[in-house]
Amino acid sequence: MIMAAGKGTRMMPLTATRPKPLVTVAGETLLDHVLHLLADAGVGRIVVNVHYLPDQIEAHLAAEERFQVTISDERALLRDTGGGLVQALPLIPDDPFFCINADNWFTWQGTNPLVRLAEAWDPAKMDVLMLLVPHERANNTKGIGDFDLDGQGRISREGPKRPRGYDWTGVQLLSKHLVTAPPSEVFSTNVFWDRAIAAGRCFGLVHQGEWFDVGYPEAIGLTEAALASAQSADG
């Protein structure tokens, strides 16, 4: 599941005439970057939700030959991440399934991070497995960290908002049975995460590579500069 329905408010003015997933970084759209990650991991079927300037995303995906693409149409109502998952769930055949935001940029070393998530998945103890990055390696982030991670890989975030050790990368592996009992039509995935955390079934896997928040305009240039510098250093 690729989350592509948002209005991209933080990315204005770049999103005045195009949806955020079609903003480019280093010559590649954010959506294509996610598609590359999925194709490299061997994923063959994707569901993409749309709301803001949806025709552009659908036209972009119409030329895609690597995947069987299904659209979850939120034109009538933007449902936020949790509500979007609820609407799309009947379209998702696999359990567990990947859910990815289309506003992050990855590099990785060795094994594809999605393959690492799949290999680490343990249905006996997990409902959620998130790909996390240590806060000090969360490039361009304006946050203070999202989660704590214990020695067994369990995620927590109890107490008031404060600096935390890990940032979510926008990538997760989810069990379908967690996506139940929605509180409303429009709500955040945080509802599902909080349930999993309370049950001790929310886990994290640390990303091996670089991660960049590219959710606002200034971050694009910062990301491109970092990528160019790394490429130059590699020879």
Side-chain angles (χ1 to χ4, degrees):
M1 169 94 189
I2 300 176
M3 292 291 188
K7 295 181 178 179
T9 304
R10 285 198 306 150
M11 193 64 91
M12 284 289 190
L14 298 181
T15 48
T17 57
R18 57 181 160 172
K20 181 169 62 176
L22 297 186
V23 169
T24 60
V25 175
E28 184 178 36
T29 70
L30 296 174
L31 180 56
D32 284 332
H33 187 68
V34 171
L35 294 175
H36 171 70
L37 182 75
L38 288 163
D40 184 80
V43 174
R45 293 178 294 189
I46 58 173
V47 175
V48 184
N49 68 342
V50 297
H51 171 79
Y52 179 63
L53 301 176
D55 293 346
Q56 292 187 33
I57 293 178
E58 290 184 328
H60 191 85
L61 291 169
E64 183 57 60
E65 298 179 347
R66 294 171 295 179
F67 304 96
Q68 176 185 323
V69 181
T70 305
I71 297 296
S72 180
D73 194 332
E74 295 183 31
R75 282 175 171 84
L77 177 66
L78 181 60
R79 296 172 178 267
D80 204 343
T81 52
L85 277 175
V86 171
Q87 174 168 301
L89 198 66
L91 306 175
I92 300 172
D94 299 305
D95 190 10
F97 65 96
F98 294 112
C99 181
I100 304 179
N101 291 352
D103 60 355
N104 309 287
W105 199 269
F106 297 86
T107 67
W108 66 86
Q109 302 164 354
T111 305
N112 182 298
L114 300 184
V115 174
R116 291 185 63 230
L117 285 171
E119 291 175 346
W121 179 261
D122 182 351
K125 64 181 183 181
M126 297 176 181
D127 288 330
V128 184
L129 180 59
M130 295 186 193
L131 189 68
L132 304 178
V133 63
H135 184 65
E136 63 271 15
R137 290 202 286 111
N139 297 290
N140 308 334
T141 184
K142 294 184 177 181
I144 59 173
D146 300 313
F147 300 105
D148 296 314
L149 196 62
D150 70 15
Q152 286 71 50
R154 281 188 174 86
I155 283 174
S156 63
R157 56 176 174 184
E158 287 84 6
K161 187 173 182 178
R162 59 174 174 78
R164 298 186 187 275
Y166 294 88
D167 286 59
W168 182 46
T169 64
V171 177
Q172 58 186 321
L173 191 56
L174 291 171
S175 171
K176 291 179 76 171
H177 76 75
L178 183 66
V179 187
T180 58
S184 61
E185 286 187 296
V186 181
F187 68 98
S188 168
T189 312
N190 279 295
V191 170
F192 298 138
W193 291 347
D194 286 343
R195 292 176 187 171
I197 289 172
R201 295 181 61 84
C202 189
F203 284 75
L205 181 71
V206 178
H207 178 52
Q208 296 175 344
E210 293 298 317
W211 175 82
F212 300 87
D213 177 354
V214 286
Y216 57 98
E218 297 81 5
I220 294 175
L222 294 171
T223 302
E224 290 175 336
L227 293 171
S229 177
Q231 186 176 25
S232 176
D234 288 341

